[in-house]
Amino acid sequence: MLGRARARRRWGTIVERRSELFFLAVFALAFLLHVHLFHYTVDDAFISFRYARNLAEGTGLVFNPGERVEGYTNFLWTVLLAAGMKSGLDPLPLSRWLGTLSGLALIGAAWRFLRRRLPDGSLALLAPVPLAASGALALWSGAGLETVPYTLLIFTGAAAATGSDRRSWLFPSALFALAALTRPEGALIYAVVTADRMAQRRLGFRRALPGLLLFLAAVGGHEVWRIAYYGDPLPNTFYAKTGGGVDAAGRGLRYLWRYFCPAGGWALLAPLPLLLIGTRRSWERTFAAVLLFQLLYVIAVGGDSLPFFRFLVPALPFLAALAVAGLDRLFSFREGNVGAVRLIALAVLLALPLHASFRGEAVRFLGEDRDRVELHWKVIGRWLAANADPEATIAVTTAGAIPYSSGLKTIDMLGITDRHIARRRMPEMGKGYAGHEKHDMGYVLDRRPDYILHYTFLLPEPVFTTGQFRTPWNRGLEELLTDERFDREYRGRSAPIGRMYFVYFQRKEEG
C-alpha cells in the first residue's frame, strides 16, 4: 500500500509538472506571436547601431568620428551589438533576437520565482499571463533597444536578492552591476533593493560588503572610463531629456494614467490592496519598493514620447508578481481552493491589457512610426549615401535611421548626440514632447551643415510649404523661417525617389 501511495504521488507530480510546462509553452508561443504582431524597430535603436558600428570598425564609441559625445544610454547593450557586428552579424536581427529571448526568459523567471514563493504553486502560472499579454513587453522585446534585457537583469537581481538571506550577496550584486552598465538607473534600483533588505534586517553590512565592492568596482570603473573618454559624469541623453520640473512631472502622471486606465493596466493594480491581508512577505516588500521607485522615476523624467509605455516595461514583472501574490493572499484568507474555473477567470482578468495591442492611439502611432522608419528614413538615408559627398554634413531631427543608413557626419538638432544643444536651457521644458524639446538653430547654422533636413518625409510632389516647418514636437524648425542667414545661405532642393520626392535644403556654393 505504501508503495502504491508513493507511486501515485510520483505520478501526480509528473502530471503536474508536464501540465505546467505545457501552459508555459502556450504562454511562450503567445508572446512570440505578440512580438511578431508588431515587428517594429524604433528609430532610436539606430543611434545605438551607429555607435556600435563605429566601435566595431575601430573609430571608437562615437556617433561622429572625432566627436566624443555619449549619445546613448545603454553602454553594455551597445558594446554587445558591436561585438556582434565585429563578427559579421547584422545589428537589427541580432537586437531583435536578444530582446525576444530576454522576454521569454523573463516570463520563465517570473513563473519560477512565484512557484517557489507561493503556497499554491498553480497560481504561479498566472504570472506569465500579464507579461505575454503586454503590448509594452512584446513591442520593446523586438524594437532594437535594451529595454527588455535590462528588465530581465533587474528582475532576476531582485529575485536573487530576496533569496539571499543566508547566501552570498555577490550574485544579486553581479546581476545589478550588469543592469547598471546596461542602463544607469540600474544603480538606483540596486540601492533601493539593498536599502530595503537592510531595513528588513535580512542583510547585514558584513555579508553585503563583498557584493557592494563588486558592484562599485564594475560601475565605478565604467564611470571613471566615461569621464576620461567623454568628459562628462552622465550620458548626454540625461542633459537632453531631463528638466522641466513640475511640468515634466505632470506629463509623467498623464503617462501613468494612460497606461493604468485606457491601456488596461488597472487589471494588475486591482489585486494589490489584497496584499494588506495577513502577514506581509519579505519579498513582497522589496518588490513593492522597486515598483514604487519605477513609478516615481517615470513621473520625474516626464514619461516618454515613444509608443507602448517603454519606461514602464521594467515595472511589469514586479507588478505582475505582486498582483498574483495579492490573489494568492485572497484565497489563503478565504481558505479556499483556486480551482480550474477560478484560475481561468483570473487569467482573463490579468490578460485585459492585451486589447491595447489591437486598437487605440498607441496602435495608430505605431503604424505611422513603422512607416516613417521603413518607408521614409531608411530610404532617405540610402539616397544620401548614394548621392551626397562622403565628407558632407547633414543636420536632422531624426538621428537614427537616416544617419545610420547614410553614414554621413550628422548634427542632431534635438541634442541627443550633440553636447551643446543638450545643455541648452529651454524656458518651456517639460511642456512639449519628451526628448524633443531642445533646439538651437543659430548654433546649427554656425556649424554650416551641407544639408538641412527640415522635413524628413517623402512627398508625392516636390513642394515646399510653410506647414512643413510647423511641428507640434519641436518649435526649433520654425526659427528657420525667420532666420536671414538660413534664407541667404541655403536653397530648397528636391530629388525623385521612386514615385515620391525628397525635399531638403542644401548650402549654396560660395562665390
Side-chain angles (χ1 to χ4, degrees):
M1 295 294 293
L2 185 59
R4 291 182 180 178
R6 288 178 178 175
R8 288 195 203 98
R9 285 197 299 270
R10 187 180 299 110
W11 176 250
T13 301
I14 293 173
V15 171
E16 180 182 0
R17 179 59 56 88
R18 288 182 175 177
S19 298
E20 289 176 335
L21 293 177
F22 169 77
F23 283 110
L24 283 175
V26 170
F27 295 141
L29 178 60
F31 170 73
L32 291 174
L33 291 174
H34 206 169
V35 174
H36 181 71
L37 168 70
F38 293 121
H39 197 69
Y40 168 74
T41 304
V42 67
D43 189 59
D44 289 36
F46 290 90
I47 298 177
S48 295
F49 296 169
R50 177 156 162 144
Y51 274 93
R53 182 175 62 192
N54 285 334
L55 179 60
E57 293 177 352
T59 309
L61 200 51
V62 295
F63 190 72
N64 291 317
E67 296 180 9
R68 292 191 176 186
V69 181
E70 190 179 2
Y72 58 90
T73 323
N74 49 14
F75 170 77
L76 193 59
W77 178 252
T78 302
V79 171
L80 184 61
L81 293 178
M85 296 178 78
K86 188 73 173 178
S87 302
L89 300 177
D90 186 327
L92 184 53
L94 175 61
S95 64
R96 283 177 176 167
W97 276 108
L98 291 175
T100 302
L101 290 174
S102 295
L104 289 171
L106 182 65
I107 289 172
W111 166 77
R112 186 171 182 269
F113 175 82
L114 288 178
R115 193 179 188 279
R116 293 183 171 187
R117 297 305 178 94
L118 298 181
D120 187 348
S122 62
L123 276 173
L125 281 173
L126 291 176
V129 174
L131 297 179
S134 170
L137 183 65
L139 183 137
W140 292 108
S141 290
L145 287 178
E146 77 295 336
T147 307
V148 177
Y150 166 75
T151 301
L152 175 64
L153 287 170
I154 62 170
F155 180 77
T156 53
T162 60
S164 294
D165 294 346
R166 294 182 179 82
R167 293 184 294 179
S168 170
W169 193 247
L170 283 171
F171 182 57
S173 298
L175 290 173
F176 275 113
L178 293 174
L181 293 175
T182 304
R183 286 197 64 86
E185 57 266 32
L188 298 177
I189 296 180
Y190 178 65
V192 169
V193 171
T194 303
D196 179 77
R197 301 308 290 176
M198 287 184 170
Q200 293 191 63
R201 297 184 179 181
R202 301 280 182 167
L203 178 67
F205 180 76
R206 180 177 297 178
R207 190 167 62 84
L209 185 58
L212 289 170
L213 292 176
L214 172 66
F215 182 86
L216 291 174
V219 178
H222 174 249
E223 181 63 20
V224 170
W225 173 84
R226 168 186 282 143
I227 294 173
Y229 193 79
Y230 294 112
D232 294 308
L234 294 169
N236 196 65
T237 49
F238 171 82
Y239 304 100
K241 293 185 176 183
T242 58
V246 175
D247 291 322
R251 189 174 64 199
L253 287 170
R254 292 190 295 273
Y255 186 84
L256 293 183
W257 181 87
R258 288 196 300 272
Y259 175 73
F260 286 113
C261 293
W266 62 267
L268 295 178
L269 284 179
L272 296 192
L274 298 172
L275 294 176
L276 301 176
I277 300 174
T279 304
R280 185 176 300 174
R281 303 180 182 106
S282 170
W283 69 266
E284 291 172 0
R285 175 172 168 176
T286 301
F287 277 28
V290 174
L291 177 60
L292 179 61
F293 167 82
Q294 290 287 348
L295 299 181
L296 292 175
Y297 173 80
V298 169
I299 295 172
V301 300
D304 187 29
S305 61
L306 297 174
F308 275 94
F309 311 102
R310 174 173 61 124
F311 284 177
L312 284 173
V313 172
L316 289 178
F318 299 97
L319 186 58
L322 290 172
V324 175
L327 296 174
D328 173 72
R329 188 64 50 80
L330 172 65
F331 290 106
S332 298
F333 179 73
R334 291 182 174 180
E335 296 182 356
N337 195 323
V338 179
V341 175
R342 289 180 177 177
L343 200 62
I344 293 172
L346 294 174
V348 171
L349 171 68
L350 295 179
L352 281 179
L354 179 63
H355 80 88
S357 297
F358 298 94
R359 65 179 183 176
E361 180 182 351
V363 174
R364 289 191 296 271
F365 180 91
L366 178 64
E368 294 171 359
D369 205 48
R370 185 190 295 112
D371 289 344
R372 293 185 191 109
V373 174
E374 299 296 331
L375 304 181
H376 295 269
W377 298 336
K378 284 185 178 180
V379 174
I380 290 172
R382 289 194 289 265
W383 184 90
L384 287 167
N387 294 276
D389 188 322
E391 300 300 319
T393 298
I394 60 175
V396 298
T397 55
T398 50
I402 291 177
Y404 179 78
S405 299
S406 70
L408 298 177
K409 183 177 180 179
T410 302
I411 301 171
D412 177 6
M413 293 193 285
L414 296 182
I416 303 300
T417 63
D418 187 278
R419 181 178 279 105
H420 170 83
I421 297 176
R423 284 157 179 74
R424 191 184 183 201
R425 292 184 178 274
M426 306 301 297
E428 296 187 358
M429 192 70 179
K431 298 179 181 179
Y433 281 52
H436 294 70
E437 297 166 287
K438 293 197 173 182
H439 56 83
D440 189 342
M441 290 303 167
Y443 159 79
V444 172
L445 292 174
D446 287 341
R447 293 193 59 179
R448 298 168 57 82
D450 298 286
Y451 300 88
I452 294 180
L453 311 189
H454 75 296
Y455 189 78
T456 53
F457 301 95
L458 300 179
L459 297 169
E461 296 180 358
V463 178
F464 292 92
T465 67
T466 300
Q468 291 169 336
F469 287 89
R470 302 190 185 282
T471 68
W473 47 269
N474 186 271
R475 301 300 180 187
L477 294 177
E478 296 182 27
E479 295 180 5
L480 291 174
L481 290 175
T482 56
D483 194 296
E484 294 182 358
R485 269 197 306 166
F486 173 70
D487 185 59
R488 184 174 62 251
E489 298 177 6
Y490 288 84
R491 62 178 176 179
R493 302 289 299 270
S494 67
I497 302 179
R499 297 182 178 180
M500 305 292 280
Y501 291 88
F502 169 41
V503 295
Y504 58 96
F505 285 97
Q506 186 172 8
R507 187 158 56 87
K508 299 176 182 178
E509 296 181 3
E510 297 181 357

